[in-house]
Amino acid sequence: MTASPTPSPTTAPLEPARAPAQKFRRVSAHGRVRHWGPGLLLLSPSLVLLAVFVYGLIAWTVRLSLSGQHSAIDKQTFEGTKTFTNLFTHDISDRFTHSLGNLGLFTLVFLLGTLFMGVLWALLLERKIPGEGIFRAIYLFPMAVSFVASGVVWRWLMNAGTGDRAGGLNAIFHGLGLTFLENPWVLDPHWGMAAMAMPAIWQLSGYVMALFLAGFRGIPAELREAAAMDGAGTFRLYRNVIFPQLTPTALSVLIILGHMSMKMFDLIMSVTGPGWITEVPAVYVWQTLLTSDFAKAAAISVILLLLVAVVIVPYLIYNNRVERRS
Amino acid sequence: MTSTTTTPPPAALPAVAPKPRKAKPSGINRRSPAGRAVTYVLLLFFLIVVLMPAYVLVVTSFKNGRDIGVNGQWGLPTVWTTISWAKAWTALGPSFFRTFELAIPVALISSFLGAANGFVLARWRFPGADVVFTLILFGMFIPYQSVMIPLREVVHSIHLLPGIPTLIFVHCVYGIPICTLIFRNYYATTVPVEIIEASRVDGAGLLRTFASVILPISIPGFVVTIIWQFTSAWNDYLFAIFLSNTNNGPITIALNALAGAQSPDYAASMAGALIASLPTLVVYVVLGRWFIGGLMAGSVKS
């Protein structure tokens, strides 16, 4: 990176040296403004917008979550963390903890499923084979479609009817005689969220494939050759040489997908709409706003933000460090 | 155009010539004919799985809404009809054009903001630039629910017109982080420091350098951010549902209204889903390799 040409203004230790040092400091401050000023000026509209609309509004939401504004006519009195504790202890039928549980199940199935499919596809395509481009393009195409649009077809595929009334995927299972596979999908009270992860897996496995494919291709051929020379078989080559190299890729993938999962909203609204079985905090916020309980909606949003921040902030700091070192 | 996207994309679509690779080491890395056959069988199987929803969408959309019984629901239509397409178009047409009015300005404005920021953060680095960059990036990961409640009040109080103008503003603001990231990585990897130093020696200030030296070589970066922002704005549902309605909102709202009824007309819904996906799919097919460039940039560092 370009080193700063302005010398750092160290404080002068001796009395006699003070006057010239101060003069020098003033010049250098002026020089710094002239040097960095235009850049900061160019950056400033974005910085102001983000300061207000990201950090300012988050602060506003936090304040709202600590207030007693539980209806459109309530005053903004300070209530402390009562709304938060109520969510965990006094929510009707434990609705909030239920939505957290749903989010947990969804995230687990979504991460495992997407990672499995993505890595498998990348492995299958890793060694250049004829037709690779077509497979890759098709595996990736669901990324271009919105969750709202794909939700339309997944709602049809995951038709809860079974037996003679089977529809969608159940009709295929029924036709093939695999009746034990027929299930109510997103209407299953226990495993509904696992089914909800299927469209998300369909949509994002190609993304994971693309990232891992780039990872595989980034490994120097010499490394593979050296391993082969040492007599490593295919399994050991991947286990001991290739996969360890891809740890940063895997970490990025997990964090990107994990934070997407926390925010999942469109897909659920599209496939089932708001409902008990598939409710997650992001949808709960929306439902709570409809009842004008602003403090509660804000409190759920803050918890959602914390969930994401726990994953993202260490990642951003880590990235920052890695970059500075290189 | 060279292959200088943000992060080297894994030679995305067939249009891209694969990089010449060294001859494979013999032995372990060559697949036996049986292994090759298994690979292809698996690849084809997954190809069918991935395409299955697309097949259902297309086939069902050409059926007559009343003719979708339980029997033969996976089959081709007995009578091909565009009646459901007409019905979907009636429901989605106005919002289809509105969404262009939304996505195109968003793509252009946020790309310019991103280019300016990315340039400063990559090549005109002031003390503390790393911290500022990290603070900017955080904005792209937040769940937007955490700003949405006051956001509704703010856009109302600054007298933004409801619907598309509000959404343009909001998408531009929250698109700044990703566009800044893409351009910063682009400039950091493709614009040599020497060009900027030379420009400085010639006495050009930052703005002159940016406008006359940097912008002309920024087209690949712009392609990535324009595609990315266009797709995000087109596909967005969260901001749309909080800040607009079926009468003034984008196509995702209209589609969900069409498809979300208690007993939906599946044929019309699926025709609608196809209409709503068409623009982004066209972008994907035509400009696929840059689309992937944007995706890769989403992972901060690849």
Side-chain angles (χ1 to χ4, degrees):
Chain A
M1 294 296 114
T2 47
S4 153
T6 45
S8 63
T10 46
T11 40
L14 295 170
E15 271 302 303
R18 247 231 174 111
Q22 258 175 355
K23 193 179 168 195
F24 173 71
R25 211 180 302 161
R26 210 176 305 134
V27 169
S28 111
H30 180 68
R32 245 179 297 150
V33 168
R34 268 187 44 182
H35 190 77
W36 303 123
L40 286 168
L41 210 63
L42 198 57
L43 202 58
S44 58
S46 298
L47 291 185
V48 170
L49 283 173
L50 291 179
V52 172
F53 284 91
V54 173
Y55 295 96
L57 293 192
I58 286 175
W60 188 333
T61 305
V62 171
R63 201 187 69 174
L64 197 57
S65 71
L66 299 171
S67 79
Q69 201 174 9
H70 295 292
S71 72
I73 47 164
D74 275 355
K75 290 270 175 340
Q76 273 220 20
T77 50
F78 184 79
E79 212 184 59
T81 53
K82 199 174 135 201
T83 312
F84 287 90
T85 43
N86 276 352
L87 274 175
F88 286 100
T89 53
H90 285 89
D91 212 19
I92 297 162
S93 12
D94 292 326
R95 186 170 165 188
F96 182 66
T97 40
H98 167 78
S99 77
L100 280 181
N102 277 345
L103 184 61
L105 177 60
F106 177 85
T107 303
L108 189 72
V109 178
F110 169 59
L111 285 185
L112 289 178
T114 317
L115 218 54
F116 178 79
M117 297 307 292
V119 172
L120 179 62
W121 292 350
L123 280 174
L124 288 172
L125 290 173
E126 191 221 339
R127 282 166 277 191
K128 298 267 180 203
I129 56 163
E132 180 198 323
I134 294 166
F135 286 114
R136 216 173 35 197
I138 289 177
Y139 289 165
L140 199 62
F141 102 89
M143 270 298 298
V145 180
S146 69
F147 275 125
V148 177
S150 66
V152 172
V153 66
W154 279 97
R155 192 173 165 188
W156 184 92
L157 286 169
M158 299 195 289
N159 189 315
T162 52
D164 290 335
R165 306 205 39 202
L169 291 172
N170 281 350
I172 289 197
F173 295 147
H174 195 72
L176 293 173
L178 303 166
T179 45
F180 63 95
L181 281 175
E182 290 180 49
N183 73 82
W185 303 105
V186 286
L187 294 186
D188 186 301
H190 296 293
W191 300 105
M193 277 320 272
M196 185 63 88
M198 287 196 357
I201 295 171
W202 174 74
Q203 208 137 0
L204 285 155
S205 295
Y207 172 58
V208 176
M209 171 200 72
L211 286 174
F212 270 94
L213 214 46
F216 283 136
R217 302 260 156 97
I219 294 174
E222 293 76 30
L223 213 60
R224 291 168 189 249
E225 276 160 37
M229 221 90 88
D230 291 345
T234 307
F235 177 76
R236 282 194 40 217
L237 173 74
Y238 279 96
R239 169 80 184 73
N240 295 336
V241 180
I242 295 183
F243 283 134
Q245 294 273 322
L246 294 179
T247 317
T249 306
L251 188 72
S252 292
V253 166
L254 277 177
I255 284 163
I256 300 290
L257 294 179
H259 106 281
M260 284 183 77
S261 177
M262 303 284 169
K263 303 200 284 193
M264 201 54 71
F265 176 80
D266 307 10
L267 177 67
I268 294 163
M269 292 294 278
S270 171
V271 174
T272 57
W276 172 260
I277 293 176
T278 54
E279 186 162 83
V280 292
V283 176
Y284 194 1
V285 173
W286 171 244
Q287 290 295 95
T288 309
L289 267 188
L290 294 180
T291 67
S292 295
D293 190 341
F294 297 106
K296 187 174 169 184
I300 302 170
S301 308
V302 169
I303 294 171
L304 198 57
L305 177 68
L306 288 176
L307 282 176
V308 171
V310 164
V311 182
I312 288 299
V313 170
Y315 176 64
L316 287 177
I317 292 172
Y318 167 80
N319 256 307
N320 196 346
R321 288 231 184 98
V322 169
E323 212 159 272
R324 228 180 276 174
R325 232 179 289 141
S326 59
Chain B
M1 223 159 290
T2 53
S3 65
T4 47
T5 34
T6 339
T7 47
L13 281 179
V16 184
K19 266 193 240 154
R21 293 182 79 207
K22 279 189 204 155
K24 298 266 170 55
S26 56
I28 57 147
N29 246 0
R30 201 188 296 137
R31 261 172 209 181
S32 62
R36 194 166 257 264
V38 171
T39 304
Y40 270 108
V41 167
L42 283 172
L43 284 171
L44 279 173
F45 171 75
F46 288 120
L47 199 72
I48 291 167
V49 170
V50 171
L51 285 176
M52 193 173 63
Y55 165 82
V56 170
L57 273 172
V58 173
V59 166
T60 312
S61 74
F62 285 106
K63 291 177 180 173
N64 184 330
R66 284 160 299 169
D67 287 349
I68 308 172
V70 168
N71 294 322
Q73 49 180 328
W74 280 90
L76 295 171
T78 39
V79 183
W80 292 74
T81 165
T82 53
I83 195 166
S84 301
W85 280 81
K87 194 177 166 190
W89 181 248
T90 313
L92 301 183
S95 64
F96 184 79
F97 294 115
R98 272 204 298 274
T99 316
F100 277 108
E101 289 168 24
L102 164 69
I104 291 172
V106 164
L108 295 176
I109 298 169
S110 33
S111 295
F112 267 102
L113 288 173
N117 301 342
F119 169 61
V120 172
L121 290 169
R123 287 288 175 256
W124 207 276
R125 294 162 64 79
F126 49 91
D130 281 329
V131 177
V132 169
F133 180 55
T134 305
L135 286 172
I136 291 176
L137 279 192
F138 182 66
M140 93 191 202
F141 294 106
I142 59 167
Y144 296 122
Q145 277 88 351
S146 63
V147 293
M148 202 66 89
I149 305 165
L151 181 63
R152 294 214 285 195
E153 286 186 40
V154 170
V155 294
H156 185 71
S157 67
I158 58 177
H159 302 296
L160 277 173
L161 291 173
I164 299 302
T166 296
L167 286 173
I168 290 176
F169 175 78
V170 166
H171 278 293
C172 284
V173 170
Y174 294 104
I176 290 173
I178 179 83
C179 293
T180 302
L181 169 68
I182 291 173
F183 271 107
R184 181 187 170 277
N185 288 354
Y186 174 71
Y187 291 137
T189 49
T190 57
V191 179
V193 185
E194 290 76 30
I195 293 186
I196 291 155
E197 294 297 331
S199 170
R200 257 187 216 172
V201 170
D202 291 347
L206 170 120
L207 283 177
R208 273 251 316 276
T209 309
F210 180 62
S212 58
V213 179
I214 302 299
L215 276 184
I217 53 171
S218 301
I219 292 169
F222 270 97
V223 176
V224 175
T225 51
I226 286 174
I227 293 170
W228 182 257
Q229 281 299 92
F230 179 88
T231 311
S232 312
W234 188 280
N235 286 343
D236 164 69
Y237 180 70
L238 182 60
F239 283 121
I241 194 177
F242 275 89
L243 301 167
S244 69
N245 56 49
T246 27
N247 295 322
N248 62 15
I251 197 156
T252 45
I253 297 287
L255 176 61
N256 213 35
L258 172 71
Q262 269 310 318
S263 52
D265 177 345
Y266 271 118
S269 311
M270 294 201 192
L274 285 172
I275 292 172
S277 310
L278 222 53
T280 49
L281 281 178
V282 167
V283 167
Y284 173 70
V285 170
V286 176
L287 300 165
R289 53 180 291 210
W290 286 285
F291 181 78
I292 292 158
L295 292 186
M296 306 298 264
S299 65
V300 184
K301 278 202 84 180
S302 70

